[in-house]
Amino acid sequence: MENNVTTISREELDELREAFDKIDIDNSGYVSDYELQDLFKEASLPLPGYKVREIVEKIIAVTDSNKDGKINFEEFVSIIQELKSKDVSKTYRKSINKKLGITALGGTSSISTEGTQHSYSEEEKVAFVNWINKALQDDPDCKHLLPMNPSDASLFKCLADGILLCKMINFSQPDTIDERAINKKKLTPFTISENLNLALNSASAIGCTVVNIGSQDLQEGKPHLVLGLLWQIIKAGLFADIEISRNEALITLLNEGEELDQLLKLSPEELLLRWVNYHLTNAGWQKISNFSQDIKDSRAYYHLLNQIAPKGDGPDEISVKIDFSGFHEKNDLKRAEYMLQQADKLGCRQFVTPADVVAGNPKLNLAFVANLFNTHPALHKPDNSSYDLNLLEGESNEERTFRNWMNSLGVSPYVNHLYSDLSDALIIFQLYEMTRVPVDWNHVNKRPYPLLGGNMKKIENCNYAVELGKTKAKFSLVGIAGHDLNEGNPTLTLALIWQLMRRYTLNVLSDLGEGEKVNDEIIINWVNKTLSNANKKTSITSFKDKSISTSLPVLDLIDAIAPKAIRPEMVKREDLSYQDKLNNAKYAISVARKIGARIYALPDDLVEVKPKMVMTVFACLMGRGLNKIK
């Protein structure tokens, strides 16, 4: 497998990842035979049925190396390489572009001599432009850019100065970026580059995967990268409240005989599907199992809209009547248009056109439904208070930071719930590999697990994960066993994850320092020496130093590394209240990201002097400082 991957250029690999994600509709990280068959069918390949079956069977036989009936990305790459050398791949590309409304961009890779082709979905571009136009229509800082024209390429030009991206990140996850750090006036190539760094590093901090995207890519408006990043940012906002600790009314969706902890393990996508089916059941309509094939005729949407439309029950609630006259329209496109006119009455026509509904575009229909949920959930918090309220606490800042860190590195599948999603250790193995701890994948049990004995397979994985931590990574894992990870013991799981994050951070520093091992003492000495050389009065004795709560050592260090990045009038230095400290911390973290430091810590971590997260802040700044010297 290794040999295959090395012969593919980075651009081609990005393109294959894009194609794989298009097939992997449920975002599981795997593709099964029926999903592949669907894609060939969807692409209208001019091949007889038996030929399609042969290709699928060959894919399963040749590439399913671990014989689990599912194909992961690496296995997928090897078969596509083979297909690429045959005429079938050309037909496949043409058909898929034509069928899915994809705009193709020819280009030449600097790595490979043959021309490569990136593609992007015209429908997604239109949907995202309309969403941004609406979201930021009243923002004075965006007046020079909005509204954008959805039918041309203005999106890619308008995102190039970084302002819109920063604003969209704050729209999706408020307060991620301190507005004072955004360069808004008299922009130069340098200040634009700072804005884009701020956007990318902040997107990373909220869990977006930005591994293969640089500020140059955004400045050049590379459509497939821009749309990929935008989708992650928009999705983060759409999914923010589809979480039981933020919306207890979701408990209503419990099935009979189901425990609350089972519901808590569902991803936002799964919760949305359950929400739709809850309303469809109440309407006496059949359930759906996806946001593609099952919604193409718009009829499920009609019933959903009818269930969630305000009934005028409250004193200030105005009743909205859903008109079913288009329900029996024979033409699918016209029916979809009539349905969207009803959605418009609820202020929710975003993301899909009639054509997107009829084509069953999974991404845009998911966004459409998420927006419906956020605007009109039509769920009532159950009166029954027999649920364990401790389960509804939601994640701590530390847990969220770790989860965002993992997701930003591109682990698969996406981590929605820190403990339950790590219960089979597959994510931990990926993090080991990213931190240069070798994993023997022959020792690892893969998904899907059998119904009988499935949990035993997960525990075997967890045992191996702990063993690797102790023997290969040399982590301190006293008292941690595989079943602790499997059961999601918070303290013990966090102990392992923290050591992984620490190792990842120190690896980056070690690489910059020509392989020299780095520890806390080396970082503290570097910080103090850099502050002293820049004639700063601040210094730190440890990562628990109380003076860190003011963020002044961090702000001074940023100024020492990147003079003029800090605007002195934005920093309060004396008689600091808690709010002053918080403002300093917000500014420090945003400016650190703006000068290129990929910081995951939160302002509260500095104000409360959380030593682990404080260490990552100084380590990232040291990395930025060493990088500058190089």
Side-chain angles (χ1 to χ4, degrees), residues 35 75 81 114 156 179 191 243 316 318 327 353 359 380 398 432 452 529 546 549 565 585 610:
E35 284 179 305
E75 293 168 337
Q81 260 191 302
E114 60 174 332
F156 308 114
E179 291 259 339
T191 55
E243 212 252 297
D316 301 321
I318 298 164
F327 185 84
T353 62
H380 301 288
E398 184 182 28
Y432 273 140
L452 274 175
K529 188 178 173 194
K546 290 278 182 285
S549 75
K610 298 278 179 67

PDB file of all heavy atoms in Angstrom, residues 35 75 81 114 156 179 191 243 316 318 327 353 359 380 398 432 452 529 546 549 565 585 610:
ATOM      1  N   GLU A  35     -22.511   1.393  -1.468  1.00  0.00           N
ATOM      2  CA  GLU A  35     -22.271   2.816  -1.696  1.00  0.00           C
ATOM      3  C   GLU A  35     -21.517   3.020  -3.007  1.00  0.00           C
ATOM      4  O   GLU A  35     -21.771   3.960  -3.755  1.00  0.00           O
ATOM      5  CB  GLU A  35     -21.486   3.425  -0.529  1.00  0.00           C
ATOM      6  CG  GLU A  35     -22.338   3.648   0.706  1.00  0.00           C
ATOM      7  CD  GLU A  35     -21.561   4.219   1.884  1.00  0.00           C
ATOM      8  OE1 GLU A  35     -20.544   3.616   2.273  1.00  0.00           O
ATOM      9  OE2 GLU A  35     -21.977   5.244   2.425  1.00  0.00           O
ATOM     10  N   GLU A  75      -7.290   1.937   1.042  1.00  0.00           N
ATOM     11  CA  GLU A  75      -7.673   0.843   0.144  1.00  0.00           C
ATOM     12  C   GLU A  75      -8.298   1.413  -1.134  1.00  0.00           C
ATOM     13  O   GLU A  75      -8.072   0.912  -2.237  1.00  0.00           O
ATOM     14  CB  GLU A  75      -8.656  -0.091   0.866  1.00  0.00           C
ATOM     15  CG  GLU A  75      -8.017  -0.843   2.022  1.00  0.00           C
ATOM     16  CD  GLU A  75      -9.033  -1.537   2.931  1.00  0.00           C
ATOM     17  OE1 GLU A  75     -10.207  -1.118   2.968  1.00  0.00           O
ATOM     18  OE2 GLU A  75      -8.640  -2.490   3.602  1.00  0.00           O
ATOM     19  N   GLN A  81      -6.122   4.093  -8.474  1.00  0.00           N
ATOM     20  CA  GLN A  81      -4.893   4.162  -9.267  1.00  0.00           C
ATOM     21  C   GLN A  81      -4.971   3.234 -10.465  1.00  0.00           C
ATOM     22  O   GLN A  81      -4.610   3.581 -11.578  1.00  0.00           O
ATOM     23  CB  GLN A  81      -3.708   3.738  -8.403  1.00  0.00           C
ATOM     24  CG  GLN A  81      -2.927   4.918  -7.875  1.00  0.00           C
ATOM     25  CD  GLN A  81      -1.655   4.434  -7.268  1.00  0.00           C
ATOM     26  OE1 GLN A  81      -1.675   3.627  -6.355  1.00  0.00           O
ATOM     27  NE2 GLN A  81      -0.548   4.919  -7.766  1.00  0.00           N
ATOM     28  N   GLU A 114       1.775  15.311 -15.239  1.00  0.00           N
ATOM     29  CA  GLU A 114       0.501  15.288 -15.960  1.00  0.00           C
ATOM     30  C   GLU A 114      -0.462  16.290 -15.354  1.00  0.00           C
ATOM     31  O   GLU A 114      -0.378  16.618 -14.183  1.00  0.00           O
ATOM     32  CB  GLU A 114      -0.091  13.868 -15.932  1.00  0.00           C
ATOM     33  CG  GLU A 114      -0.360  13.371 -14.532  1.00  0.00           C
ATOM     34  CD  GLU A 114      -1.086  12.034 -14.539  1.00  0.00           C
ATOM     35  OE1 GLU A 114      -1.812  11.773 -15.498  1.00  0.00           O
ATOM     36  OE2 GLU A 114      -0.922  11.288 -13.569  1.00  0.00           O
ATOM     37  N   PHE A 156     -14.927  33.327  -4.216  1.00  0.00           N
ATOM     38  CA  PHE A 156     -13.505  33.019  -4.052  1.00  0.00           C
ATOM     39  C   PHE A 156     -12.666  34.294  -3.967  1.00  0.00           C
ATOM     40  O   PHE A 156     -11.647  34.326  -3.280  1.00  0.00           O
ATOM     41  CB  PHE A 156     -13.043  32.106  -5.192  1.00  0.00           C
ATOM     42  CG  PHE A 156     -13.936  30.896  -5.340  1.00  0.00           C
ATOM     43  CD1 PHE A 156     -14.723  30.715  -6.468  1.00  0.00           C
ATOM     44  CD2 PHE A 156     -14.035  29.965  -4.315  1.00  0.00           C
ATOM     45  CE1 PHE A 156     -15.571  29.625  -6.586  1.00  0.00           C
ATOM     46  CE2 PHE A 156     -14.886  28.872  -4.416  1.00  0.00           C
ATOM     47  CZ  PHE A 156     -15.658  28.699  -5.558  1.00  0.00           C
ATOM     48  N   GLU A 179     -12.320  40.257  17.678  1.00  0.00           N
ATOM     49  CA  GLU A 179     -12.457  41.159  16.504  1.00  0.00           C
ATOM     50  C   GLU A 179     -11.320  42.178  16.428  1.00  0.00           C
ATOM     51  O   GLU A 179     -10.973  42.658  15.349  1.00  0.00           O
ATOM     52  CB  GLU A 179     -13.796  41.900  16.571  1.00  0.00           C
ATOM     53  CG  GLU A 179     -15.001  41.009  16.350  1.00  0.00           C
ATOM     54  CD  GLU A 179     -15.561  41.115  14.933  1.00  0.00           C
ATOM     55  OE1 GLU A 179     -15.293  42.124  14.262  1.00  0.00           O
ATOM     56  OE2 GLU A 179     -16.254  40.176  14.516  1.00  0.00           O
ATOM     57  N   THR A 191      -0.833  42.060   5.754  1.00  0.00           N
ATOM     58  CA  THR A 191      -1.946  42.039   6.720  1.00  0.00           C
ATOM     59  C   THR A 191      -3.063  41.096   6.258  1.00  0.00           C
ATOM     60  O   THR A 191      -3.775  40.526   7.082  1.00  0.00           O
ATOM     61  CB  THR A 191      -2.517  43.462   6.961  1.00  0.00           C
ATOM     62  OG1 THR A 191      -2.900  44.031   5.702  1.00  0.00           O
ATOM     63  CG2 THR A 191      -1.500  44.361   7.642  1.00  0.00           C
ATOM     64  N   GLU A 243     -27.288  19.039  20.366  1.00  0.00           N
ATOM     65  CA  GLU A 243     -26.528  18.357  21.392  1.00  0.00           C
ATOM     66  C   GLU A 243     -27.355  18.415  22.666  1.00  0.00           C
ATOM     67  O   GLU A 243     -27.882  19.467  23.025  1.00  0.00           O
ATOM     68  CB  GLU A 243     -25.198  19.119  21.557  1.00  0.00           C
ATOM     69  CG  GLU A 243     -24.048  18.260  21.940  1.00  0.00           C
ATOM     70  CD  GLU A 243     -23.656  18.518  23.362  1.00  0.00           C
ATOM     71  OE1 GLU A 243     -23.246  19.635  23.681  1.00  0.00           O
ATOM     72  OE2 GLU A 243     -23.830  17.581  24.163  1.00  0.00           O
ATOM     73  N   ASP A 316     -47.328  35.243  21.842  1.00  0.00           N
ATOM     74  CA  ASP A 316     -46.711  36.032  20.764  1.00  0.00           C
ATOM     75  C   ASP A 316     -46.513  35.208  19.484  1.00  0.00           C
ATOM     76  O   ASP A 316     -45.892  35.678  18.536  1.00  0.00           O
ATOM     77  CB  ASP A 316     -45.336  36.573  21.219  1.00  0.00           C
ATOM     78  CG  ASP A 316     -45.481  37.436  22.455  1.00  0.00           C
ATOM     79  OD1 ASP A 316     -46.465  38.194  22.518  1.00  0.00           O
ATOM     80  OD2 ASP A 316     -44.620  37.336  23.354  1.00  0.00           O
ATOM     81  N   ILE A 318     -47.325  33.503  16.047  1.00  0.00           N
ATOM     82  CA  ILE A 318     -48.261  33.635  14.921  1.00  0.00           C
ATOM     83  C   ILE A 318     -48.346  32.293  14.202  1.00  0.00           C
ATOM     84  O   ILE A 318     -47.327  31.690  13.869  1.00  0.00           O
ATOM     85  CB  ILE A 318     -47.784  34.741  13.946  1.00  0.00           C
ATOM     86  CG1 ILE A 318     -47.743  36.089  14.677  1.00  0.00           C
ATOM     87  CG2 ILE A 318     -48.686  34.819  12.725  1.00  0.00           C
ATOM     88  CD1 ILE A 318     -46.943  37.151  13.976  1.00  0.00           C
ATOM     89  N   PHE A 327     -48.503  19.051  -2.886  1.00  0.00           N
ATOM     90  CA  PHE A 327     -48.068  17.712  -2.459  1.00  0.00           C
ATOM     91  C   PHE A 327     -48.315  16.669  -3.549  1.00  0.00           C
ATOM     92  O   PHE A 327     -47.534  15.735  -3.728  1.00  0.00           O
ATOM     93  CB  PHE A 327     -48.821  17.342  -1.170  1.00  0.00           C
ATOM     94  CG  PHE A 327     -48.395  16.040  -0.546  1.00  0.00           C
ATOM     95  CD1 PHE A 327     -47.302  15.992   0.306  1.00  0.00           C
ATOM     96  CD2 PHE A 327     -49.091  14.859  -0.795  1.00  0.00           C
ATOM     97  CE1 PHE A 327     -46.911  14.798   0.898  1.00  0.00           C
ATOM     98  CE2 PHE A 327     -48.704  13.667  -0.210  1.00  0.00           C
ATOM     99  CZ  PHE A 327     -47.615  13.630   0.638  1.00  0.00           C
ATOM    100  N   THR A 353     -31.966  24.161  -3.511  1.00  0.00           N
ATOM    101  CA  THR A 353     -32.866  24.568  -4.593  1.00  0.00           C
ATOM    102  C   THR A 353     -33.745  23.347  -4.886  1.00  0.00           C
ATOM    103  O   THR A 353     -33.432  22.238  -4.409  1.00  0.00           O
ATOM    104  CB  THR A 353     -32.065  24.915  -5.860  1.00  0.00           C
ATOM    105  OG1 THR A 353     -31.371  23.719  -6.275  1.00  0.00           O
ATOM    106  CG2 THR A 353     -31.061  26.023  -5.608  1.00  0.00           C
ATOM    107  N   ALA A 359     -32.218  15.906  -6.684  1.00  0.00           N
ATOM    108  CA  ALA A 359     -30.974  15.150  -6.891  1.00  0.00           C
ATOM    109  C   ALA A 359     -30.569  14.411  -5.615  1.00  0.00           C
ATOM    110  O   ALA A 359     -29.714  13.535  -5.637  1.00  0.00           O
ATOM    111  CB  ALA A 359     -29.858  16.093  -7.315  1.00  0.00           C
ATOM    112  N   HIS A 380     -40.753  19.531  23.048  1.00  0.00           N
ATOM    113  CA  HIS A 380     -41.001  20.067  24.388  1.00  0.00           C
ATOM    114  C   HIS A 380     -40.235  19.242  25.403  1.00  0.00           C
ATOM    115  O   HIS A 380     -40.256  18.012  25.354  1.00  0.00           O
ATOM    116  CB  HIS A 380     -42.500  20.059  24.694  1.00  0.00           C
ATOM    117  CG  HIS A 380     -43.284  20.876  23.703  1.00  0.00           C
ATOM    118  ND1 HIS A 380     -43.228  22.252  23.700  1.00  0.00           N
ATOM    119  CD2 HIS A 380     -44.084  20.516  22.669  1.00  0.00           C
ATOM    120  CE1 HIS A 380     -43.970  22.712  22.705  1.00  0.00           C
ATOM    121  NE2 HIS A 380     -44.500  21.680  22.059  1.00  0.00           N
ATOM    122  N   GLU A 398     -11.727  21.568  28.686  1.00  0.00           N
ATOM    123  CA  GLU A 398     -10.579  20.695  28.392  1.00  0.00           C
ATOM    124  C   GLU A 398     -10.982  19.601  27.407  1.00  0.00           C
ATOM    125  O   GLU A 398     -10.281  19.339  26.422  1.00  0.00           O
ATOM    126  CB  GLU A 398     -10.075  20.062  29.703  1.00  0.00           C
ATOM    127  CG  GLU A 398      -8.828  19.223  29.518  1.00  0.00           C
ATOM    128  CD  GLU A 398      -8.362  18.561  30.817  1.00  0.00           C
ATOM    129  OE1 GLU A 398      -9.211  18.296  31.704  1.00  0.00           O
ATOM    130  OE2 GLU A 398      -7.161  18.281  30.928  1.00  0.00           O
ATOM    131  N   TYR A 432      -1.611   8.015  17.597  1.00  0.00           N
ATOM    132  CA  TYR A 432      -0.278   7.438  17.805  1.00  0.00           C
ATOM    133  C   TYR A 432       0.561   7.606  16.539  1.00  0.00           C
ATOM    134  O   TYR A 432       1.710   8.030  16.586  1.00  0.00           O
ATOM    135  CB  TYR A 432      -0.377   5.951  18.160  1.00  0.00           C
ATOM    136  CG  TYR A 432      -0.564   5.661  19.642  1.00  0.00           C
ATOM    137  CD1 TYR A 432      -1.432   4.658  20.076  1.00  0.00           C
ATOM    138  CD2 TYR A 432       0.150   6.365  20.614  1.00  0.00           C
ATOM    139  CE1 TYR A 432      -1.611   4.381  21.419  1.00  0.00           C
ATOM    140  CE2 TYR A 432      -0.015   6.094  21.964  1.00  0.00           C
ATOM    141  CZ  TYR A 432      -0.902   5.105  22.372  1.00  0.00           C
ATOM    142  OH  TYR A 432      -1.064   4.836  23.702  1.00  0.00           O
ATOM    143  N   LEU A 452     -22.303 -10.183  18.352  1.00  0.00           N
ATOM    144  CA  LEU A 452     -21.893 -10.997  19.497  1.00  0.00           C
ATOM    145  C   LEU A 452     -20.385 -10.854  19.681  1.00  0.00           C
ATOM    146  O   LEU A 452     -19.620 -11.075  18.742  1.00  0.00           O
ATOM    147  CB  LEU A 452     -22.236 -12.472  19.257  1.00  0.00           C
ATOM    148  CG  LEU A 452     -23.665 -12.894  19.644  1.00  0.00           C
ATOM    149  CD1 LEU A 452     -23.912 -14.330  19.242  1.00  0.00           C
ATOM    150  CD2 LEU A 452     -23.896 -12.735  21.146  1.00  0.00           C
ATOM    151  N   LYS A 529      14.363  33.961  28.059  1.00  0.00           N
ATOM    152  CA  LYS A 529      15.484  34.546  27.312  1.00  0.00           C
ATOM    153  C   LYS A 529      14.955  35.468  26.205  1.00  0.00           C
ATOM    154  O   LYS A 529      15.466  36.569  25.990  1.00  0.00           O
ATOM    155  CB  LYS A 529      16.324  33.414  26.707  1.00  0.00           C
ATOM    156  CG  LYS A 529      17.610  33.894  26.077  1.00  0.00           C
ATOM    157  CD  LYS A 529      18.424  32.738  25.526  1.00  0.00           C
ATOM    158  CE  LYS A 529      19.618  33.274  24.750  1.00  0.00           C
ATOM    159  NZ  LYS A 529      20.269  32.262  23.926  1.00  0.00           N
ATOM    160  N   LYS A 546       1.454  32.591  38.602  1.00  0.00           N
ATOM    161  CA  LYS A 546       0.207  33.370  38.734  1.00  0.00           C
ATOM    162  C   LYS A 546       0.152  34.558  37.761  1.00  0.00           C
ATOM    163  O   LYS A 546      -0.915  35.003  37.357  1.00  0.00           O
ATOM    164  CB  LYS A 546       0.067  33.894  40.167  1.00  0.00           C
ATOM    165  CG  LYS A 546      -0.234  32.809  41.202  1.00  0.00           C
ATOM    166  CD  LYS A 546      -1.727  32.474  41.214  1.00  0.00           C
ATOM    167  CE  LYS A 546      -2.084  31.444  42.264  1.00  0.00           C
ATOM    168  NZ  LYS A 546      -1.686  30.070  41.918  1.00  0.00           N
ATOM    169  N   SER A 549      -2.022  34.707  34.532  1.00  0.00           N
ATOM    170  CA  SER A 549      -3.466  35.007  34.515  1.00  0.00           C
ATOM    171  C   SER A 549      -3.758  36.379  33.892  1.00  0.00           C
ATOM    172  O   SER A 549      -4.869  36.636  33.453  1.00  0.00           O
ATOM    173  CB  SER A 549      -4.055  34.933  35.928  1.00  0.00           C
ATOM    174  OG  SER A 549      -3.674  36.073  36.666  1.00  0.00           O
ATOM    175  N   ALA A 565       2.847  43.339  16.072  1.00  0.00           N
ATOM    176  CA  ALA A 565       1.623  42.518  15.975  1.00  0.00           C
ATOM    177  C   ALA A 565       0.641  42.923  17.072  1.00  0.00           C
ATOM    178  O   ALA A 565      -0.575  42.896  16.877  1.00  0.00           O
ATOM    179  CB  ALA A 565       1.956  41.031  16.095  1.00  0.00           C
ATOM    180  N   ALA A 585      -6.576  37.953  27.542  1.00  0.00           N
ATOM    181  CA  ALA A 585      -6.377  36.557  27.106  1.00  0.00           C
ATOM    182  C   ALA A 585      -6.965  36.332  25.711  1.00  0.00           C
ATOM    183  O   ALA A 585      -6.347  35.696  24.850  1.00  0.00           O
ATOM    184  CB  ALA A 585      -7.010  35.596  28.106  1.00  0.00           C
ATOM    185  N   LYS A 610      -4.313  27.248  33.685  1.00  0.00           N
ATOM    186  CA  LYS A 610      -4.363  25.785  33.571  1.00  0.00           C
ATOM    187  C   LYS A 610      -3.022  25.327  33.002  1.00  0.00           C
ATOM    188  O   LYS A 610      -2.749  25.542  31.806  1.00  0.00           O
ATOM    189  CB  LYS A 610      -5.498  25.365  32.621  1.00  0.00           C
ATOM    190  CG  LYS A 610      -6.902  25.763  33.078  1.00  0.00           C
ATOM    191  CD  LYS A 610      -7.429  24.757  34.086  1.00  0.00           C
ATOM    192  CE  LYS A 610      -8.799  25.076  34.611  1.00  0.00           C
ATOM    193  NZ  LYS A 610      -9.867  24.978  33.624  1.00  0.00           N
TER     194      LYS A 610
END
